[in-house]
Amino acid sequence: PMTSSSDSSFLADAWTGYDAWCRSHRVVSEFLRFNPLTARHLAAPTGARVWRDRETVVLPLDGDEDAIARGYSDTQRRNLRTAQRSGLLCEESNSWRGLAAFRGLYAETMRALDAHAFYDFDASYFAGLANGLGKDCLLYLVRLGDTPVAGALILFGSENAHYHLAGSSRAHRALCPNNLLIDTVARAAQKRGLKRLHLGGGRSPDANDELLRFKARFSSTRAELHLGARILDTAAHRQLIELWRGQGGVAPE
């Protein structure tokens, strides 16, 4: 759900209209994901179950150029120096050739993490981002000479940038390419006049998640991702549960 209003009567009318649309299209239930930067979970529909899923990391971009680095941990500063001494170069790369290289790095990372098949995006997904968002979706690649060793797709809005998908070569991990990558993206977003770079959270809600700990080295500022669920047709939902039980022999809980 997205809204610029906090007026309760407007929100009630908006949800009433949306619920009517759901009934006409036989929507039984829904999953909700709320923007962690706007606290829009406060505008959740009546009857929704909303919960805090995980903490996310936000890198503020206000202040001068040096203010970004002042928020880094000592570990991040050391790793950034390692990357710079290693001869790595990070720059924007919007060619299809660059996108193919990124897809390879992303696929390698997903295999190394034993990620769910949900994250195996095909070429049409990346083409859709590039064609649909244009200059608001940019690819940044880190190279060692002519070899791409890390990359990320960054989404740009009017106030915030979002670290969307990333991948890197495990063979070059010791050179700290991801540290250079995020630093470069943060400075590019600042030059655009944006307020924040949203790095997202970890791969799980665990406070000790390895990816969350890595991102936390860039900033102490946090946001919270809230999720929600709502049943719109109780009778149909109950019927589907019974079908699940009968066909799968597994309790729906």
Side-chain angles (χ1 to χ4, degrees):
M2 297 176 65
T3 176
S4 59
S5 174
S6 58
D7 180 82
S8 58
S9 60
F10 165 79
L11 293 173
D13 287 345
W15 283 117
T16 297
Y18 171 70
D19 289 353
W21 180 91
C22 288
R23 284 192 298 273
S24 68
H25 287 77
R26 303 185 68 191
V27 176
V28 175
S29 62
E30 64 182 0
F31 169 77
L32 303 163
R33 184 191 301 273
F34 299 92
N35 187 336
L37 300 180
T38 61
R40 285 305 175 204
H41 61 282
L42 301 176
T46 301
R49 181 172 66 91
V50 178
W51 65 94
R52 176 190 181 277
D53 179 71
R54 68 192 66 190
E55 191 174 66
T56 66
V57 178
V58 181
L59 177 51
L61 302 176
D62 48 359
D64 57 25
E65 188 175 352
D66 294 334
I68 293 176
R70 284 197 293 271
Y72 292 164
S73 69
D74 292 341
T75 300
Q76 161 55 12
R77 291 193 187 94
R78 286 195 302 271
N79 291 342
L80 183 57
R81 287 194 294 268
T82 296
Q84 292 165 338
R85 287 196 300 265
S86 300
L88 296 177
L89 177 65
C90 181
E91 58 186 3
E92 180 187 325
S93 175
N94 276 338
S95 69
W96 285 105
R97 183 179 177 185
L99 191 57
F102 170 73
R103 286 186 61 206
L105 291 167
Y106 177 76
E108 177 184 342
T109 301
M110 294 302 101
R111 286 194 302 271
L113 295 173
D114 195 24
H116 191 277
F118 171 83
Y119 296 101
D120 294 336
F121 301 115
D122 59 19
S124 65
Y125 177 79
F126 295 98
L129 284 176
N131 295 331
L133 295 177
K135 291 287 186 181
D136 290 331
C137 176
L138 298 180
L139 170 64
Y140 285 81
L141 283 177
V142 180
R143 300 180 185 273
L144 180 62
D146 294 330
T147 304
V149 297
L153 280 173
I154 310 299
L155 308 181
F156 291 92
S158 59
E159 294 186 350
N160 307 302
H162 177 69
Y163 190 70
H164 181 44
L165 298 177
S168 59
S169 165
R170 296 187 74 81
H172 298 86
R173 194 172 183 178
L175 302 182
C176 304
N178 292 313
N179 301 80
L180 177 63
L181 176 64
I182 293 178
D183 179 72
T184 303
V185 169
R187 296 179 187 282
Q190 187 187 55
K191 287 180 180 178
R192 275 191 172 217
L194 302 187
K195 296 180 179 179
R196 292 173 289 263
L197 170 59
H198 184 236
L199 296 177
R203 288 185 287 270
S204 73
D206 188 347
N208 293 314
D209 183 278
E210 181 182 0
L211 180 57
L212 177 63
R213 292 206 313 269
F214 168 74
K215 293 176 179 179
R217 295 170 185 164
F218 292 86
S219 172
S220 60
T221 303
R222 300 289 181 267
E224 292 187 338
L225 171 63
H226 285 78
L227 304 177
R230 186 166 65 129
I231 299 170
L232 293 105
D233 187 333
T234 304
H237 188 261
R238 194 176 299 121
Q239 183 181 5
L240 288 170
I241 287 177
E242 293 306 318
L243 283 171
W244 179 283
R245 279 200 177 103
Q247 295 174 6
V250 179
E253 291 76 15

